[in-house]
Amino acid sequence: LFLSKMPGLLAHPFLCSQTALSQLTPEGPARVAAFGRLITAYTVGGMVGPLLGGALGKDGDYYLSAKIAAVGSVIGVLGSLALPIKMERQDVRVQDPLVAAAADAGAGAAPAPALAPWRERAGTVVSLVGFLILLKLVVCTASGMTDSAQAVVLKNELELSQSEMGVLISCQFAAFAVISGVLLGPLTQLLGGRTQVVVLKCLPVIAVSYFVQAMLRSTSLGLLDGLSPLAQTYVFISVSMFGGMFGFALGTGITTECTQMVPKDMKGTFLGMEHSMFSASRILSPPMGIAILNSTGSSALYSVTGAIYALLFLLWGALSHRFLRAAPEGSSDEVDAKAVEMKAGAV
């Protein structure tokens, strides 16, 4: 079981894949097509994997799918050896307008500005979007607690077989792929478009969805007692996916806002920090979620998660204007243009 999770030891496989593609493909349609194929591969794997795993384990051999996954991990590691050791960038960095102007004026070609140390760049990113990064870390940890406990709830409380769980998880992945690829844009526009408004509307909806899930799993209320385990599962998962749809809009909105608030040459630093934070939440959330589930039950777990989102909603309403008010208006290109104007004024 642990060997099947071998890629996690190397960390950030999807981020590394994205980085490799950005290095190995030329800017333009070829890169877009490559990223599309990468996302398609992950989507197909996420849909087929649970379905296949459930089918392989329906006869009682719960380790067969893990053994196959371990072999697939080894193949992936061996395949990575085919990548070139040194990768030349296929795109050309845009030259600083001031440097270009100096060259045109006959002042000679100035060297490209050296990249600041990582610690300095990270400090700049934190000073600009630290509040948003912390918000997303808490959001990912809270939702990760319930996500990690979902399989236990489905198997132990709703009494689903392994094959039924595989089908259900595959359907969930397919639905979320449609939501993120088709419905996310219209939903964001429907919620108001601006990040401050989208987050303000998403947080209470997600909180309510978790509170409803807590009520559905409450033995004292018994809201689903008259339904079969499979029907209970459909109702429970439907509420979960409804909240998850707003969770996609929330996470995407935060990331979009952050990329607009940081300078262009620090977007990669921010994305790397965001992925690292996400990995940290994936380490912290499962033991936290399972501990609450084992000690107080699934209803309490969903209640705690809903309370976290409700608290974030109150904090966002009270504090967000202090942190987003300083964000530069306009696109990232306009932000960089303003920075260039400030440099020119200083010169």
Side-chain angles (χ1 to χ4, degrees):
L1 288 173
F2 286 111
L3 284 175
S4 68
K5 301 298 182 182
M6 189 188 303
L9 297 175
L10 304 176
H12 314 310
F14 189 72
L15 177 61
C16 291
S17 300
Q18 290 178 314
T19 303
L21 283 183
S22 67
Q23 299 281 341
L24 295 172
T25 57
E27 186 175 3
R31 181 173 299 175
V32 174
F35 274 101
R37 288 192 293 270
L38 177 65
I39 295 173
T40 299
Y42 273 86
T43 303
V44 172
M47 293 169 57
V48 175
L51 183 64
L52 182 59
L56 292 173
K58 67 180 180 180
D59 295 328
D61 187 356
Y62 301 123
Y63 293 96
L64 178 59
S65 57
K67 295 173 183 176
I68 296 175
V71 173
S73 299
V74 174
I75 294 175
V77 171
L78 295 176
S80 66
L81 299 178
L83 292 172
I85 297 177
K86 294 183 178 180
M87 294 183 291
E88 299 293 335
R89 293 188 63 91
Q90 297 295 317
D91 57 340
V92 179
R93 184 183 297 272
V94 179
Q95 192 179 18
D96 190 307
L98 291 180
V99 175
D104 293 340
L115 192 63
W118 184 89
R119 184 175 298 180
E120 181 179 337
R121 286 182 282 125
T124 302
V125 171
V126 170
S127 67
L128 292 173
V129 295
F131 175 69
L132 291 173
I133 292 177
L134 181 61
L135 173 67
K136 192 162 187 179
L137 175 62
V138 176
V139 165
C140 290
T141 303
S143 60
M145 292 192 305
T146 56
D147 292 342
S148 61
Q150 184 186 66
V152 180
V153 173
L154 293 176
K155 185 173 180 60
N156 294 350
E157 298 186 11
L158 295 173
E159 302 176 351
L160 292 187
S161 66
Q162 184 165 338
S163 59
E164 291 173 334
M165 288 177 56
V167 172
L168 181 62
I169 295 174
S170 294
C171 292
Q172 274 188 287
F173 198 96
F176 281 135
V178 173
I179 291 172
S180 61
V182 179
L183 302 180
L184 187 57
L187 177 63
T188 302
Q189 292 299 321
L190 182 65
L191 292 172
R194 292 178 56 244
T195 301
Q196 192 167 3
V197 177
V198 170
V199 174
L200 190 64
K201 292 181 178 179
C202 284
L203 287 173
V205 173
I206 299 171
V208 169
S209 71
Y210 279 116
F211 286 135
V212 171
Q213 291 176 76
M215 295 171 61
L216 293 177
R217 298 310 314 147
S218 173
T219 55
S220 59
L221 294 177
L223 298 179
L224 301 178
D225 287 349
L227 301 178
S228 65
L230 189 58
Q232 293 182 27
T233 303
Y234 286 144
V235 175
F236 179 75
I237 292 298
S238 297
V239 176
S240 174
M241 292 183 65
F242 178 78
M245 179 171 61
F246 287 86
F248 270 109
L250 175 64
T252 304
I254 294 175
T255 300
T256 302
E257 181 72 10
C258 288
T259 55
Q260 292 177 347
M261 292 176 65
V262 299
K264 183 180 296 184
D265 60 349
M266 292 188 182
K267 295 185 190 299
T269 302
F270 158 70
L271 291 174
M273 293 174 62
E274 184 186 50
H275 278 268
S276 299
M277 292 290 185
F278 181 69
S279 295
S281 72
R282 293 187 66 181
I283 294 173
L284 296 173
S285 56
M288 294 169 58
I290 297 301
I292 297 174
L293 177 66
N294 290 337
S295 60
T296 57
S298 59
S299 180
L301 172 61
Y302 290 104
S303 296
V304 169
T305 307
I308 292 174
Y309 275 92
L311 179 60
L312 290 175
F313 168 67
L314 297 177
L315 291 176
W316 180 263
L319 301 176
S320 62
H321 65 282
R322 299 183 182 180
F323 296 94
L324 299 185
R325 180 170 51 190
E329 298 179 356
S331 65
S332 61
D333 291 335
E334 292 171 344
V335 172
D336 291 329
K338 292 179 181 179
V340 170
E341 291 175 4
M342 293 175 63
K343 290 181 184 178
V347 172

